[in-house]
Amino acid sequence: MPSQPNLLENAAMSKPALDLTQPAPKPQSLEEAQQLIELLWQLLADLSRRQSELEEQLATTSENSSQPPSQDSPKQRAERLSKKPSGRMKGAQAGHEKYERALLDESEVDRIERYYPPSHCACGGQVVMDGYRRHQVFDVPEVRYHVVEHRCYQGRCAACKARQNAALPDDVPRGQMGPGLIAWISLLNSQYHLSLRQIESLLAEQWQLTFSLGAISEAQAPVVGWLPPVYQQIGDQVRSAGLAHTQRAQAPMKPVISVARVAIGCGR
């Protein structure tokens, strides 16, 4: 049987353990008894915590968590299958308030297609129109990239023979990507966390645009130059507001990317 001091030394361990195959220890002093009580109390706390964890695992099913039904225990599956049907029909119940998308005003509709019933009824009588039912279908337009070619003409002076070359206006991008495409790439990369390779694939599949990974990466550099005026505008609005507060992001992100999202949202 292990000696009494060795048994009580377990009280100082992070995970105390007792040899339950041996007789119960007999403290020789009040101090040893207190040490044994602390040891047993810690073991009881660990067992209670472990029991709570196991009970929670046993109570977790596919019906009260994101656990797939295939991971339910045989007992849980049997209970799920043995449930009696409520007798109610699937879907919204009687008296449920109907929610649906509001129809757009006729002035906001791009095209109106009109359909008419037969001019005469089966009985031979003429059908007189007295109203119509509105049905609107929302869809995205066919996507195609827009290309603008800028031609800089050049010539020679008829008198002195000096060359004269036209220059691009300041608002014309020097690269092959316009501000709309650059903003879209920055939005996909920062807000929606798409990788450069995913953006490359999306541009090719959706718009038939083929740009290299390097070009897509470098395209986001001009966004930094667009930020100061937008940042200043946001600051002016916050300082002039009656109440200002901030919300801490759940995950750290680069300040440039954070303000880039604002810039894109402002139509930069």
Side-chain angles (χ1 to χ4, degrees), residues 26-259:
K26 297 180 179 180
Q28 302 299 319
S29 64
L30 182 61
E31 181 181 359
E32 289 183 359
Q34 182 62 35
Q35 291 179 355
L36 182 59
I37 291 174
E38 293 177 357
L39 171 63
L40 295 174
W41 190 265
Q42 184 175 355
L43 286 172
L44 181 61
D46 292 341
L47 290 174
S48 178
R49 182 170 55 254
R50 181 56 178 164
Q51 179 183 3
S52 299
E53 294 176 354
L54 292 175
E55 289 178 350
E56 182 178 356
Q57 293 178 5
L58 291 174
T60 301
T61 67
S62 58
E63 295 182 342
N64 58 18
S65 69
S66 59
Q67 173 179 295
S70 59
Q71 293 185 6
D72 287 346
S73 65
K75 179 181 178 182
Q76 292 170 343
R77 297 179 188 177
E79 291 177 350
R80 185 175 67 245
L81 296 175
S82 63
K83 285 185 178 181
K84 296 182 179 180
S86 62
R88 297 184 300 177
M89 298 180 61
K90 294 183 179 180
Q93 304 301 309
H96 173 73
E97 186 177 355
K98 184 178 181 180
Y99 292 94
E100 59 183 8
R101 185 181 183 89
L103 295 175
L104 296 180
D105 186 77
E106 185 174 323
S107 60
E108 301 180 71
V109 176
D110 297 293
R111 191 176 75 251
I112 297 179
E113 299 287 351
R114 294 176 171 84
Y115 309 97
Y116 300 95
S119 59
H120 289 79
C121 180
C123 69
Q126 185 176 4
V127 176
V128 179
M129 306 300 163
D130 58 2
Y132 55 86
R133 176 177 60 88
R134 302 179 67 193
H135 173 67
Q136 295 181 350
V137 177
F138 294 78
D139 201 355
V140 294
E142 181 181 358
V143 179
R144 187 188 184 280
Y145 56 82
H146 180 62
V147 180
V148 177
E149 180 177 336
H150 302 269
R151 296 186 179 183
C152 299
Y153 288 89
Q154 57 189 11
R156 186 184 299 275
C157 176
C160 67
K161 307 302 182 182
R163 298 288 301 178
Q164 298 293 332
N165 299 320
L168 288 172
D170 294 337
D171 59 345
V172 175
R174 282 355 186 218
Q176 289 188 304
M177 295 187 186
L181 179 56
I182 293 174
W184 182 248
I185 290 176
S186 299
L187 180 67
L188 294 176
N189 184 238
S190 62
Q191 177 68 23
Y192 298 105
H193 308 292
L194 294 187
S195 66
L196 297 181
R197 191 168 298 279
Q198 289 174 321
I199 296 175
E200 178 189 35
S201 177
L202 179 61
L203 292 177
E205 294 178 4
Q206 188 71 23
W207 288 285
Q208 293 76 50
L209 286 173
T210 55
F211 287 99
S212 66
L213 293 177
I216 295 174
S217 177
E218 295 175 0
Q220 301 182 65
V223 176
V224 179
W226 300 346
L227 300 182
V230 179
Y231 179 82
Q232 181 65 38
Q233 180 182 2
I234 295 174
D236 294 341
Q237 293 181 356
V238 171
R239 283 187 289 270
S240 62
L243 176 65
H245 64 276
T246 59
Q247 181 178 357
R248 182 178 180 182
Q250 295 181 353
M253 59 182 63
K254 297 181 180 179
V256 171
I257 298 300
S258 300
V259 184

